[in-house]
Amino acid sequence: DALLIGLTIAHPSRGFYYAAATTLGSVVGCFALYTVGRKSGEAFLRRKFKERHIDRGLALVQRHGWLTVALPSLLPPPTPFKLFVLLAGVADLKPLTFVAAVTAGRGFRFGMEAWLAYRYGDRAIDFARNNLPTISLWLGAAIAVVLMAGGVVQEQGGPLVGGEAPGEAQSESVRVEQRARAADVGRESFGREL
């Protein structure tokens, strides 16, 4: 963050290039950790954290999908963002969904930092230094509100954020059976027309 701001202040015309490069680097690094999470992350997490915390984190990812990655990616350190990245891998969040969430969150964050540095120069550093705890608190509160609103929508029977609406989840065997029946009906209809 500090490097991005410093480089943008030193070379204002390159600010959004720096933001894009920073976003790309973050996405690549996060995807590597996400891949580790998919392969063997659960064992690592269960060694390092209490089981109830891991189960609660996995439930969050399964319930809210991409939001559990996108929202923490907006927050500055010391947010435990890498924990959410590992949890997304363990919970088997789709790779494209994961990359899109990290790209959106980090891209917005780094883009805003570059814009602030471009617009306000050295004052941006002072502003960030003096207001970072307050900004983090407000962003955290906003995230909590969004997640709670998602829970309310789910309880009222609406679609889950990043998931399927209640009652839409079907086992693969049920879907295969329905497709087979539809194919049989199609063949019967075709035979009658001839």
Side-chain angles (χ1 to χ4, degrees):
D1 295 307
L3 183 61
L4 170 62
I5 292 170
L7 284 171
T8 301
I9 290 170
H11 308 282
S13 64
R14 297 182 189 164
F16 290 104
Y17 166 76
Y18 296 140
T22 305
T23 301
L24 179 62
S26 182
V27 169
V28 169
C30 288
F31 192 76
L33 187 58
Y34 163 84
T35 303
V36 168
R38 285 182 72 137
K39 301 283 186 212
S40 60
E42 187 166 3
F44 170 78
L45 287 172
R46 295 211 183 271
R47 276 195 319 266
K48 297 289 183 185
F49 300 96
K50 293 181 180 175
E51 187 162 338
R52 65 185 166 95
H53 293 153
I54 300 303
D55 292 340
R56 201 163 72 199
L58 289 172
L60 268 175
V61 173
Q62 291 164 348
R63 183 175 178 190
H64 297 290
W66 67 275
L67 278 178
T68 55
V69 177
L71 293 176
S73 72
L74 292 168
L75 298 175
T79 304
F81 176 58
K82 299 306 181 213
L83 177 60
F84 289 97
V85 170
L86 274 171
L87 284 169
V90 172
D92 208 23
L93 189 66
K94 292 179 183 175
L96 188 58
T97 301
F98 173 81
V99 168
V102 174
T103 302
R106 292 297 193 177
F108 181 79
R109 175 180 158 190
F110 296 138
M112 287 304 295
E113 288 177 0
W115 180 80
L116 287 170
Y118 175 81
R119 177 89 168 91
Y120 296 106
D122 289 330
R123 293 182 295 166
I125 293 174
D126 294 334
F127 178 81
R129 188 178 302 129
N130 295 332
N131 295 299
L132 192 59
T134 304
I135 293 168
S136 295
L137 179 65
W138 280 105
L139 273 173
I143 289 169
V145 167
V146 167
L147 289 177
M148 285 189 288
V152 169
V153 168
Q154 179 195 6
E155 288 175 11
Q156 293 177 354
L160 295 173
V161 178
E164 296 177 334
E168 288 183 10
Q170 297 178 344
S171 70
E172 182 62 25
S173 62
V174 170
R175 283 190 287 257
V176 168
E177 186 178 317
Q178 287 175 343
R179 282 192 295 257
R181 270 192 250 135
D184 289 342
V185 168
R187 279 192 292 272
E188 289 173 10
S189 297
F190 183 72
R192 276 188 236 133
E193 291 176 7
L194 292 176

